[in-house]
């Protein structure tokens, strides 16, 4: 409690400064308390200031939210506490393509009633996070993978690709401006939501000639509290999330809308999420909005970590890739990308060969599974019975990188040098 009160006191002092120097002061305050050498990881002397317009809000909403942020901690309801600003980049095919990025106070969007996003779901998005390192600076976790995936998704629904370097620098600037919304380190983080929508106000199924890419952020807590909580899944072969030749491997809003009804049915049966199956052989594909991993012993007694392959039905998750990269580097057991069916899972479980079953994703990092409701029966899994579970080790390894407890090239340090944030470089909203 003492540490919370201390953080609250520091943040309130920041907010009492003159409005025109609020952002500059907060960044200098953090700089004075951090290890200055940490920024050199990204060679900041070569940093090129992006061509971006910035308009700051005159007063921050943080003063109304900081107590809730600090005292709620892991209990913050996801996606409800938004920061002061947003990044916008407009696209117009007939005006040379992408226009100049700008940061503005958070505001409502103005769309034509015939905007293609409203009628034909021409929309893609990403989910990523910024973390306050234990040294004080802000980290992003493998952001280039998120932005590469954003462009692949955009291509699938006929939206323009964005320059990932420009977008990443804009996101870093946004994080720097609103970094005080993350007053402490773990378990809090800033959830970053880039969203690309088709805005052309014409009816007709065709690619949009105009689009908007915007980025908003919200303060979120850890998916878990003090201890891991396992989840119960429902596997119902009547519902299919994705199929070959479809768009299950792209991060588009339409993929999520169609999961809401099955998820409601699962909730009524006491399940937290859906376990998505595909085909007559009932292949395991994904867990809710997460990738899935199965840790088991094969017939030779070898430990194997398996996850479904990227076959066009599986979203290429950043956490999924990180788990594969880490475990292959550890080289302690076999790591496979292969199809896994419900029948195989049940058979291995009955033979006491299943060790762990868990999902991976940006929001939860690792989510252990203890049971699956399948064909009116509960399949009880021993995930939570392991003495030194793999899911806990993976969670620690990844979050240690994210929060700067371990130096690693996957952590990108956000540049917060004061000379980039002098008040005369900004405009202020009326």
């Amino acid at each position: 409690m003492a540490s919370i009160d201390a953080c609250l006191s520091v943040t309130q002092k920041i907010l009492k400064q003159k409005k025109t120097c609020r952002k500059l002061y907060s960044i200098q305050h953090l700089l004075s308390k951090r290890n200055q050498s940490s920024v050199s990881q990204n060679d900041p002397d070569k940093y090129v200031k992006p061509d971006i317009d910035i308009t700051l809000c005159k007063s921050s909403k943080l003063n109304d939210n900081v107590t809730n942020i600090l005292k709620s901690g892991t209990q913050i309801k996801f996606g409800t506490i938004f920061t002061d600003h947003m990044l916008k980049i407009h696209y117009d095919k007939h005006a040379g393509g992408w226009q100049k990025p700008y940061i503005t106070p958070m505001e409502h969007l103005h769309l034509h009633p015939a905007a293609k996003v409203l009628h034909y779901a021409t929309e893609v998005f990403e989910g990523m996070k910024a973390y306050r390192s234990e040294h004080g600076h802000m980290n992003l976790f493998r952001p280039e993978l998120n932005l590469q995936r954003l462009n692949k998704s955009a291509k699938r629904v006929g939206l323009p690709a964005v320059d990932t370097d420009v977008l990443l620098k804009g996101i870093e600037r946004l994080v720097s401006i609103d970094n005080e919304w993350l007053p402490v380190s773990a378990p809090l983080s800033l959830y970053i939501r880039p969203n690309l929508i088709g805005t052309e106000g014409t009816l007709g199924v065709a690619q949009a000639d105009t689009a908007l890419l915007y980025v908003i952020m919200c303060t979120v807590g850890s998916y878990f509290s003090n201890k891991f909580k396992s989840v119960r899944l429902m596997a119902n072969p009547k519902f299919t999330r994705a199929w070959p030749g479809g768009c299950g491997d792209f991060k588009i809003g339409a993929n999520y809308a169609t999961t809401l009804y099955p998820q409601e049915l699962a909730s009524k049966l006491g399940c937290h999420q859906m376990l998505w199956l595909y085909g007559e052989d009932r292949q395991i594909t994904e867990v809710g909005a997460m990738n899935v991993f199965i840790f088991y012993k094969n017939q030779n007694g070898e430990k194997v970590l398996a996850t479904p392959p990227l076959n066009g039905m599986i979203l290429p998750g950043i956490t999924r890739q990180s788990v594969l990269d880490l475990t292959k580097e550890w080289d302690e057991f076999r790591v496979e990308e292969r199809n896994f069916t419900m029948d195989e899972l049940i058979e291995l479980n009955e033979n006491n060969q299943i060790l762990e079953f868990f999902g991976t994703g940006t929001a939860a990092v690792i989510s252990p599974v203890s049971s699956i409701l399948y064909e009116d029966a509960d399949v009880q899994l021993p995930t939570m019975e392991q003495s030194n579970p793999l899911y806990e080790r993976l969670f620690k390894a990844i979050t240690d990188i994210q929060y700067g407890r371990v130096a690693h090239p996957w952590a990108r340090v956000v540049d917060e040098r004061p000379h980039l944030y002098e008040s005369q470089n900004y405009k202020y909203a009326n």
Side-chain angles (χ1 to χ4, degrees), residues 204-217:
V205 183
Q207 295 187 6
D209 286 346
T210 62
L212 170 65
L213 193 158
Y214 64 93
V215 182
I216 55 178
M217 302 192 302

Side-chain angles (χ1 to χ4, degrees), residues 350-395:
E350 290 176 346
N351 293 332
N352 297 317
Q353 292 174 260
I354 293 293
L355 300 174
E356 301 174 38
F357 190 109
F358 55 86
T360 64
T362 298
V365 186
I366 308 289
S367 183
V369 177
S370 57
S371 65
I372 302 171
L373 177 60
Y374 177 64
E375 295 185 333
D376 299 322
D378 266 326
V379 179
Q380 298 293 333
L381 301 170
T383 307
M384 308 304 291
E385 301 171 11
Q386 309 304 315
S387 57
N388 294 296
L390 176 62
Y391 69 81
E392 280 193 0
R393 182 182 175 190
L394 286 166
F395 179 83

Side-chain angles (χ1 to χ4, degrees), residues 142 178 385:
R142 310 189 81 174
D178 278 348
E385 301 171 11

Side-chain angles (χ1 to χ4, degrees), residues 29 50 55 101 105 110 136 174 176 184 194 220 227 247 262 280-281 403 413:
H29 175 81
T55 301
H110 298 281
L174 182 65
S176 294
V184 295
V220 297
K227 296 182 179 180
C247 52
E280 294 183 1
D281 58 350
Y403 288 101
V413 177

Side-chain angles (χ1 to χ4, degrees), residues 401-429:
I401 296 171
Q402 293 169 338
Y403 288 101
R405 293 186 285 264
V406 173
H408 199 283
W410 290 351
R412 180 183 176 96
V413 177
V414 176
D415 195 331
E416 300 170 8
R417 289 173 298 164
H419 76 266
L420 294 179
Y421 303 95
E422 295 174 353
S423 58
Q424 62 263 31
N425 291 337
Y426 292 127
K427 296 184 293 183
Y428 286 83

Side-chain angles (χ1 to χ4, degrees), residues 79-91:
T80 60
I81 301 178
F82 292 94
T83 66
D84 290 322
H85 299 89
M86 63 192 302
L87 169 69
K88 291 184 178 180
I89 314 177
H90 286 274
Y91 173 87

Side-chain angles (χ1 to χ4, degrees), residues 149-166:
R149 188 173 65 182
L150 178 73
N151 274 340
K152 291 179 181 178
S153 299
K155 181 178 180 181
R156 183 63 175 83
V157 298
L159 289 170
V162 66
D163 186 319
T164 56
D165 290 335
V166 171

Side-chain angles (χ1 to χ4, degrees), residues 124-159:
V124 301
F125 68 96
E126 271 302 321
M128 50 201 292
K129 286 182 178 180
Y131 310 84
R132 181 158 315 278
S133 162
E134 293 190 347
H135 302 292
H137 59 256
M138 300 292 288
N139 284 342
L140 298 176
F141 182 73
R142 310 189 81 174
E144 67 285 348
L145 298 184
N146 289 95
L147 303 189
Q148 291 168 12
R149 188 173 65 182
L150 178 73
N151 274 340
K152 291 179 181 178
S153 299
K155 181 178 180 181
R156 183 63 175 83
V157 298
L159 289 170

